[in-house]
Amino acid sequence: MSLSRSVLWQTALRSQLLQGAWNFDRMQNLGWAFCVAPALKELYPDEGRRALALRRHLEIFNTHPYMAGYVLGAALKVESELADGRGEAETVSAIKARLAPALAAVGDSFYWAALRPATVMLGIAWLWLAPHPWHLWAPAVFLAAYNLVALVLRMNAVEAGWTKGEGVAVHVASMGLPAAAEGVRQMALVLMGALAGSLGRLLNPLSNGKAPLVNHFLFLGSGLVMLLMLRLGVRPVVLLMLCTLGCLMLALSLAV
């Protein structure tokens, strides 16, 4: 039995609220049940069978909230087979148990450890270098950059899971998110180095609401130095320590 595209989109939209009823007992189970409710209504016109199916989806569940869409689509694919009288009910629980931990690790490394810090640094760079009053748009720059990536991936996750079924793990692996995470982390470090270099603005205050040209050269040059050091194999932790030390020394020199 197939699900309509509108129901898949409803599921994708509801998945944005997966954490809304998080609890210590079964974690994301209530949010999960809320997500699958429209699909179960279409798959099971009979209220009795629908109630039994919904009860299956109230078991404990937890994964990275941004990756849950892939598990939702794959689980609903199995659920559609059950609605046609094929397969076993335990398969739904099994596919959730197999996919959730692996996708959680991928989501943590890409979204939390790479994309969010990088887009925060982008917002700070905008705040630092944009002329008045455009620097006030820094929060919007951060939110737009972050959600442009996150929302596109999240809204397409349910349909990908539905299309690939149990093979959605291979699909996610083919997306290369771990490699992308490493590239995004490097971009964040380059921005951090660029911002550290452009602290020269403190020595040359703003005039007439415009950023001195030297700050932009400092920003670009410091970023290129950081990129070169990354390419030479310097560890990111060492670069972070050097940036922090450099900023502290500059602050102390200005305070004297």
Side-chain angles (χ1 to χ4, degrees):
M1 187 173 182
S2 181
L3 286 173
S4 63
R5 182 172 291 272
S6 64
V7 167
L8 291 176
W9 273 98
Q10 285 183 58
T11 305
L13 287 171
R14 289 188 175 213
S15 69
Q16 314 303 309
L17 305 174
L18 179 70
Q19 300 267 84
W22 195 95
N23 60 90
F24 285 103
D25 186 21
R26 299 190 179 185
M27 300 183 179
Q28 296 169 342
N29 73 316
L30 294 177
W32 175 280
F34 174 73
C35 294
V36 300
L40 296 182
K41 186 175 181 180
E42 185 169 294
L43 291 173
Y44 299 101
D46 178 71
E47 291 187 6
R49 293 187 66 194
R50 190 190 315 157
L52 288 174
L54 186 60
R55 191 173 301 167
R56 282 198 296 272
H57 291 281
L58 285 172
E59 62 189 1
I60 186 171
F61 178 79
N62 192 52
T63 190
H64 192 285
Y66 290 10
M67 305 298 288
Y70 297 105
V71 191
L72 280 165
L76 289 177
K77 184 73 171 182
V78 176
E79 194 68 60
S80 68
E81 296 173 356
L82 291 177
D84 285 338
R86 294 178 287 128
E88 300 291 335
E90 291 76 12
T91 309
V92 177
S93 299
I95 195 171
K96 291 165 62 177
R98 285 199 302 269
L99 292 176
L103 294 181
V106 174
D108 286 344
S109 65
F110 179 74
Y111 289 103
W112 291 170
L115 183 62
R116 186 166 58 181
T119 50
V120 166
M121 293 305 303
L122 184 62
I124 294 173
W126 182 276
L127 177 67
W128 191 268
L129 294 175
H132 179 81
W134 294 103
H135 69 285
L136 298 176
W137 286 90
V141 170
F142 156 63
L143 291 173
Y146 181 77
N147 287 298
L148 181 64
V149 178
L151 283 177
V152 168
L153 291 176
R154 292 181 74 180
M155 291 303 295
N156 287 288
V158 173
E159 189 164 356
W162 170 261
T163 303
K164 303 296 181 179
E166 296 189 51
V168 71
V170 177
H171 170 75
V172 174
S174 69
M175 293 169 62
L177 290 181
E182 182 60 30
V184 172
R185 276 193 290 269
Q186 290 190 9
M187 184 188 77
L189 285 169
V190 169
L191 283 173
M192 183 176 294
L195 287 170
S198 64
L199 281 174
R201 170 178 289 188
L202 295 174
L203 301 174
N204 189 4
L206 294 175
S207 58
N208 300 322
K210 295 182 179 179
L213 186 61
V214 65
N215 291 331
H216 296 284
F217 282 107
L218 283 169
F219 181 85
L220 179 61
S222 303
L224 290 175
V225 169
M226 180 69 84
L227 181 60
L228 176 62
M229 294 178 74
L230 283 169
R231 294 300 183 189
L232 291 175
V234 181
R235 295 177 60 189
V237 174
V238 175
L239 294 179
L240 287 173
M241 293 176 65
L242 289 175
C243 281
T244 303
L245 182 61
C247 291
L248 287 174
M249 293 178 63
L250 178 59
L252 288 173
S253 66
L254 293 173
V256 173

